[in-house]
């Protein structure tokens, strides 16, 4: 039996309904983060490649095949895409797990819900209605909504399919088209989905994919003058840079950026359940989520018990190769990300002088030495002035802080440049709603975490971005609204003959 390794699959760009070579032969390696092995190679799209992809999507947007499609026909097609996606879920679980290192069970639980994002938006395509507006005088005023055009979308490595689908579903259901630049770390499921959708009947050019690095390919896409909208999920600095580029062309924008989610644990809530939610919120996806429950703000009466139990819980989480169904925590996505997390452990110990109560190291298991693993890490006695309280780590890393009053807890929660999500643990219904109203963020979970729905708006405030994904809010952002004013009076009109008799100008 031969032990020879097969050459990695080389992927081109996906433009106009087919895989095409990039302008230059330069390739980027895609690494399996659990093993450090070469998984595939992808093309590095040039400015000219990006231009080709955007122009292809623009041509598709204006084509009779797509622009002339009725809402009901388009909705039927979007539902068909959902069915095709669902039929290939097992393939997608396996591919995404190998690509981004998230455990197979987590990936399955997340991706299995994604076809419903298409079905929900297909429903909105059928249900949408334009307005008739009552106005003074003998006039009929109504609105027409028209799709905005080509949407550029830069997606991150942590949830490649889910985050892409949150944009793709309303884009296609509204009649827009898109060019997606997936993370160079995790492009494989995006490329595969584009292929599947074209095979299922999506017109070529409606969903193009360009691969490459953010500072080159991503920049070329963000600043392209033919984009009607720019969507990015990523770091706050990337949002500032690309948002300015897209803003120069007056493109609409949805930016879902960094986060430092506060979790307020009150003393009337069961401590064991609070710890279970804390572990879930902090360590799912190896902590690589913008909504990671990374700041646990705990009432002083249950603080010591909470810290001890959370440290114990962190030590029980099974770390390993994410393709093993028994594994609960996979690697972070890259060696660079691993070093980032370990550097924040050093900051917590040496600069902040916080108390490390669990993790903080690379696992000792020699079977994991080639992967990018970090133990689930818990710091206690963290105060708002510490860097590990304020800065996003993006790994399996959580801090625990103490509060004594509700007002203090809210002040600590809001003491952050970020405002994506927050969470509350309490059995007091009045308190839950009162505190939720005072948290400065776009999403709040009460006695839960990480939950979303195709119908529920998703997005942040402050340095966590602008705009909303999901819900009618996202769908409606893919249209321009045109006001049509119809005069219903046949009486002759001549302003300059009868100026003195005119009763209105506007």
């Amino acid at each position: 039996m031969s032990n020879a390794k097969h050459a990695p699959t080389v992927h081109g760009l996906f433009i106009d309904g087919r895989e095409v070579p990039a302008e230059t032969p330069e390739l980027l390696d895609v690494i399996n983060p659990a093993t450090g092995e070469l998984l595939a190679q992808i093309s590095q799209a040039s400015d000219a490649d990006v231009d080709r992809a955007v122009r292809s999507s623009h041509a598709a947007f204006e084509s009779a095949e797509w622009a002339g499609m009725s809402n009901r026909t388009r909705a039927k097609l979007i539902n068909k895409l959902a069915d095709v996606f669902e039929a290939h879920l097992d393939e997608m679980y396996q591919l995404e797990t190998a690509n981004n290192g998230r455990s197979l069970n987590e990936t399955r639980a997340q991706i299995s819900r994604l076809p419903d994002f298409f079905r929900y938006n297909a429903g909105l395509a059928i249900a949408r209605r334009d307005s008739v507006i009552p106005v003074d005088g003998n006039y009929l005023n109504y609105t027409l909504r028209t799709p905005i055009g080509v949407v550029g979308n830069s997606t991150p490595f942590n949830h490649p399919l889910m985050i892409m689908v949150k944009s793709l579903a309303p884009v296609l259901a509204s009649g827009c088209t898109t060019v997606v630049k997936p993370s160079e770390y995790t492009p494989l499921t995006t490329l595969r989905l584009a292929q599947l959708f074209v095979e299922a009947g999506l017109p070529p050019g409606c969903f193009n994919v360009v691969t490459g690095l953010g500072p080159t390919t991503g920049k070329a896409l963000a600043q392209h003058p033919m984009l009607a909208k720019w969507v990015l999920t990523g770091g706050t600095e990337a949002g500032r840079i690309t948002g300015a580029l897209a803003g120069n062309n007056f493109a609409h924008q949805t930016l879902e950026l960094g986060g430092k989610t506060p979790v307020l644990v009150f003393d009337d809530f069961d401590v064991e359940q609070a710890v279970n939610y804390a572990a879930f919120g902090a360590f799912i996806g190896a902590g690589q989520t913008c909504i990671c429950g990374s700041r646990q703000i705990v009432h002083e009466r249950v603080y010591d018990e909470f810290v001890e139990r959370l440290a114990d819980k962190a030590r029980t989480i099974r770390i390993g190769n994410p393709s093993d169904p028994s594994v609960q925590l996979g690697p972070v996505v890259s060696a660079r990300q691993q070093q980032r997390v370990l550097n924040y452990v050093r900051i917590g110990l040496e600069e902040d002088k916080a108390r490390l109560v669990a993790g903080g190291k690379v696992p000792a298991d020699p079977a994991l030495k080639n992967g990018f693993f970090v133990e689930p890490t818990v710091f206690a006695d963290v105060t708002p002035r510490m860097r590990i309280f304020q800065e996003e780590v993006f790994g399996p890393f959580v801090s625990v802080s103490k509060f004594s009053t509700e007002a203090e807890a809210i002040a600590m929660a809001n003491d952050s440049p970020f405002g994506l999500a927050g969470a509350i643990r309490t059995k007091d219904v009045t308190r839950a709603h009162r505190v939720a109203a005072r948290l400065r963020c776009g999403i709040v979970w009460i006695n839960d975490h990480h939950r979303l729905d195709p119908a529920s708006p998703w997005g942040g405030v402050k340095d966590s971005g602008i705009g909303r994904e999901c819900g009618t809010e996202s769908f409606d952002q893919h249209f321009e609204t045109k006001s049509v004013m119809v005069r219903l009076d046949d009486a002759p009109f001549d302003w300059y003959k009868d100026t003195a008799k005119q009763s209105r100008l506007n």
Side-chain angles (χ1 to χ4, degrees), residues 219 222 236-246:
K219 177 184 177 182
T236 298
E237 190 57 28
R240 288 194 176 100
I241 293 169
T242 63
L245 294 172

Side-chain angles (χ1 to χ4, degrees), residues 447-459:
N447 301 338
D448 210 332
H449 208 94
H450 269 290
R451 310 302 181 182
L452 78 159
D453 190 90
S456 182
W458 180 280

Side-chain angles (χ1 to χ4, degrees), residues 128-167:
R128 77 176 184 88
R129 300 169 69 181
D130 292 314
S131 303
V132 174
I133 304 170
V135 294
D136 286 344
N138 196 16
Y139 294 93
L140 170 66
N141 184 204
Y142 63 92
T143 61
L144 293 174
R145 289 192 297 170
T146 56
I148 56 176
V150 181
V151 178
N153 185 7
S154 178
T155 61
F157 62 76
N158 54 340
H159 310 303
L161 272 179
M162 185 196 74
I163 290 174
M164 190 265 293
V165 162
K166 284 194 296 184
S167 172

Side-chain angles (χ1 to χ4, degrees), residues 449-470:
H449 208 94
H450 269 290
R451 310 302 181 182
L452 78 159
D453 190 90
S456 182
W458 180 280
V461 300
K462 300 192 285 185
D463 282 3
S464 289
I466 58 173
R468 292 296 180 268
E469 298 176 300
C470 306

Side-chain angles (χ1 to χ4, degrees), residues 260-426:
K260 193 71 176 175
T261 299
V263 181
L264 280 60
V265 181
F266 290 91
D267 60 334
D268 63 335
F269 196 77
D270 180 77
V271 175
E272 181 179 2
Q273 281 300 295
V275 166
N276 289 341
Y277 274 123
F280 174 70
F283 303 137
I284 283 291
Q288 297 172 119
T289 69
C290 296
I291 54 168
C292 171
S294 54
R295 291 190 293 153
Q296 300 286 320
I297 301 170
V298 182
H299 193 276
E300 59 187 4
R301 279 198 285 268
V302 295
Y303 177 84
D304 290 337
E305 181 184 0
F306 180 94
V307 169
E308 181 180 358
R309 288 194 178 205
L310 181 56
D312 289 342
K313 183 78 173 180
R315 287 188 283 267
T316 68
I317 294 174
R318 293 189 296 276
I319 308 171
N321 192 310
S323 62
D324 180 349
S326 69
V327 163
Q328 297 172 319
L329 183 73
V332 294
V333 76
S334 65
R336 178 183 177 184
Q337 197 65 23
Q338 182 188 48
Q339 286 305 309
R340 175 183 172 87
V341 179
L342 294 175
N343 186 51
Y344 271 102
V345 173
R346 181 195 61 77
I347 290 168
L349 290 170
E350 298 177 9
E351 296 185 28
D352 292 339
K353 307 299 183 184
R355 179 163 57 101
L356 179 65
V357 296
K361 302 187 299 297
V362 172
D365 185 351
L368 306 180
K369 66 179 181 179
N370 293 324
F372 311 128
F373 294 89
V374 180
E375 293 176 339
T377 298
V378 182
F379 273 95
D381 304 341
V382 177
T383 65
R385 298 281 62 81
M386 293 180 180
R387 287 181 65 183
I388 61 173
F389 185 93
Q390 292 289 339
E391 298 176 14
E392 186 176 33
V393 177
F394 223 66
F397 188 110
V398 60
S399 70
V400 189
S401 306
K402 184 187 300 185
F403 76 87
S404 57
T405 67
E406 179 181 305
E408 182 186 10
I410 293 169
M412 291 173 70
N414 289 335
D415 185 3
S416 171
F418 300 109
L420 183 56
I424 302 162
R425 313 280 181 251
T426 183

Side-chain angles (χ1 to χ4, degrees), residues 74-86:
R74 181 174 288 112
K76 287 176 66 176
L77 174 58
I78 303 305
N79 279 314
K80 181 182 178 182
L81 299 183
D83 293 341
V84 169
F85 192 166
E86 204 160 59

